[in-house]
Structure formats: structure tokens, C-alpha cells
Amino acid sequence: ESLQVAGRETNLPEARLQEGQPAIISLYQPDVEKVYEQKDLRSKCNNTPFPGVELKGKVIGTIYGQHHIINPA
């Protein structure tokens, strides 16, 4: 038996979670708005076109198998 997850808002095809099968799940808050700042960059490279740009939505974490990665607030 599987759980169906519809990705209608993002126009993604329907996804299925099945017991015993690997899954990658992104935890996303679509209504969060944030002005991107240089300090938000987590890469060693400082090259980005986004400083000062207001972005909508935020990925708060990822679940990949037994690994749970939660982004800092």
C-alpha cells in the first residue's frame, strides 16, 4: 500500500511513498517571505545575484532515508 502525494502547486507529477522504498522528501514553507542577504550564503563562493532580493518560500529541511537534515532558522 502506498501514500499518494499530489504536487499540484508545483506542476510536478504525482509522487508515491512506498514502504521499504527510498524516498527524498523536502520540507517546504511556501508562505514564508525573506529578503536574501549575503550572510545567508552557505557556499564558499560569494558570487550570487540575490542579495537584497525578496524571496518567497523556504526549504526548512530534507529527509533522505534515515538522514534528517534541518536547516537553521
Side-chain angles (χ1 to χ4, degrees):
E1 190 168 319
S2 65
L3 171 68
Q4 295 182 9
V5 180
R8 294 183 185 154
E9 289 183 21
T10 58
N11 296 320
L12 294 174
E14 185 176 294
R16 294 181 182 267
L17 296 177
Q18 294 181 324
E19 186 175 342
Q21 297 299 313
I24 300 173
I25 301 170
S26 294
L27 307 174
Y28 181 73
Q29 291 179 310
D31 297 329
V32 173
E33 293 181 3
K34 180 178 182 352
V35 175
Y36 186 85
E37 299 177 25
Q38 195 72 28
K39 68 177 182 154
D40 297 322
L41 188 61
R42 296 178 67 186
S43 171
K44 291 181 180 180
C45 173
N46 287 323
N47 187 13
T48 178
F50 297 111
V53 175
E54 183 175 74
L55 302 174
K56 185 169 183 175
K58 180 181 180 184
V59 175
I60 58 172
T62 305
I63 300 172
Y64 177 67
Q66 300 296 319
H67 306 281
H68 304 133
I69 303 165
I70 304 299
N71 295 331

